[in-house]
Amino acid sequence: MTLSRRSFSFFSALTAAQAAAPLAFAQAPKLKIGVLTDMSGALSSVLGKGSVDGARMAIEDFGSTVAGMPVELVFADHQNKPDVGAAIARRWFDEEQVDMLLDLGNSAVAIACQTIAKDKNKIIIVTGASSSDITNKFCNSHSFHWGYDTYMQSAALAGNMTKGGDNSWFFLSADYAYGQALEADARKKVLEAGGKVLGGVKHPANTMDMSSFLLQAQSSGAKVIGLATTGEDMERIVKQGQEFGIWRKQKAASFGMQLYYIPGIGPANMQGMVHNSIYYWDRDDKTRDLAQRFLKRNGKPPAETHAVNYSAVTQYLKAVKAAGTKETGAVLKALHSMPVEDLVTRNGKVRADGRLIRPTHLVEVKSPGEIKGQWDLLKVVAEIPGDQAFRPPGESVCTLLKT
């Protein structure tokens, strides 16, 4: 059989179109989100796989597509090293076409990646890192802070409690930058609220015997002992303080508590301890809905960052939908203009410095007699309005708030 010239031309064009189809499909636009987190280190229980699942659940609930684009999720371990995190961020932006980066559950990693995101004209939403400087002296136009920060963990908590009558404080703090910053912010708010600071002591990292520090706190007679520490040091302080009977007479305020810490330390050791929380799973029907679905995947309800990742990804997808494009400028405009309302966040508004302003909650560890289930560990005792929970514009050095 022979083909006419006309038939051959048609056959050639059809064959070329069929050959090009897979390439065209592969190059179809998609939206790519990257979760850069601690997958294997000290923070992996409150970040890690749960952070990835929180983001993935948001994508699934949104239908896995937005503005005609499929949504793809990638994740990596920054190992709590700024150089490792920065290298991953650059590769994702330059080679893998990641459009938005989130989590960054380490402040040094987050601050390193903020500059990269702006330089590459990409978007970064910090959900797991805690330094309030992320939207203060390190703020930039492409960066957002969606989760807890050191100001709301310490200053807002101390100010609220002081106004409520817990007006004398002693601080037991870690002797490094994190603990020092928490104590400094809390001290200031106690004094502004008319309270008194009766003293303070700093412990070195990885101190096994906390007795001398605890006895100083006990002898101060302060109504509240502010714990500006975290991890195993906090665990030792709480357990040893319980042995001395301190928490029966003096209230403990933790500036770095997480839900997952309570089973390990023991509710009996922590009963009555208070904390300012971005998210608690049993707060209302919406938070319980998310928690039950998350629990089926992970065997436990979401920690704060896990839930906040859900909120951040949901809002980012809403912004892309509203903009009708993934172009950074249009999405940034939408993120700053849209209200934030989802299963995690109520009555949220993004400020010019990228700080999500939303209510937070004063939570207290239940006594063993009040606990009705494995994760029924906290009770919400007060809501702190967003404008009181985060650093006010007048105390910020961020130039974005000055324009």
Side-chain angles (χ1 to χ4, degrees), residues 141-353:
S141 58
H142 289 55
S143 176
F144 299 85
H145 202 167
W146 222 255
Y148 48 75
D149 68 34
T150 50
Y151 187 95
M152 60 81 47
Q153 286 177 322
S154 60
L157 173 60
N160 185 274
M161 291 181 66
T162 301
K163 291 174 185 176
D166 292 316
N167 54 9
S168 63
W169 288 69
F170 185 96
F171 291 96
L172 206 172
S173 308
D175 195 13
Y176 46 84
Y178 174 75
Q180 293 163 8
L182 288 171
E183 180 180 332
D185 283 342
R187 276 178 174 264
K188 181 179 179 182
K189 288 300 174 184
V190 168
L191 297 174
E192 286 180 359
K196 296 179 180 179
V197 177
L198 303 182
V201 63
K202 293 179 173 58
H203 70 81
N206 301 314
T207 298
M208 303 306 295
D209 183 0
M210 295 287 184
S211 59
S212 65
F213 307 114
L214 285 163
L215 290 173
Q216 291 180 62
Q218 185 180 45
S219 64
S220 73
K223 292 182 180 178
V224 185
I225 299 174
L227 305 181
T229 188
T230 189
E232 292 182 357
D233 284 328
M234 187 179 78
E235 179 175 347
R236 285 187 283 269
I237 286 171
V238 173
K239 287 182 175 179
Q240 292 173 27
Q242 181 72 3
E243 292 171 3
F244 288 131
I246 294 175
W247 313 131
R248 288 196 292 271
K249 296 182 179 180
Q250 293 165 285
K251 187 175 293 185
S254 171
F255 301 150
M257 187 174 76
Q258 290 268 359
L259 174 69
Y260 290 0
Y261 296 164
I262 301 173
I265 298 175
N269 293 317
M270 299 183 74
Q271 61 181 305
M273 181 178 289
V274 294
H275 171 64
N276 186 17
S277 176
I278 285 281
Y279 167 87
Y280 178 51
W281 74 270
D282 200 22
R283 190 187 72 214
D284 55 38
D285 288 342
K286 289 184 176 180
T287 57
R288 283 188 284 272
D289 170 69
L290 178 67
Q292 291 301 323
R293 291 191 286 129
F294 186 94
L295 187 144
K296 289 179 181 178
R297 296 177 183 235
N298 291 272
K300 52 190 175 184
E304 291 189 37
T305 298
H306 303 161
V308 173
N309 275 7
Y310 179 94
S311 175
V313 171
T314 297
Q315 191 69 6
Y316 176 71
L317 295 175
K318 287 180 180 179
V320 173
K321 181 179 180 180
T325 176
K326 68 174 186 175
E327 190 275 320
T328 297
V331 177
L332 284 171
K333 184 177 180 180
L335 283 169
H336 277 284
S337 62
M338 296 169 59
V340 183
E341 190 78 29
D342 53 52
L343 298 181
V344 176
T345 305
R346 292 186 296 109
N347 303 319
K349 179 86 172 73
V350 177
R351 205 163 59 182
D353 58 353

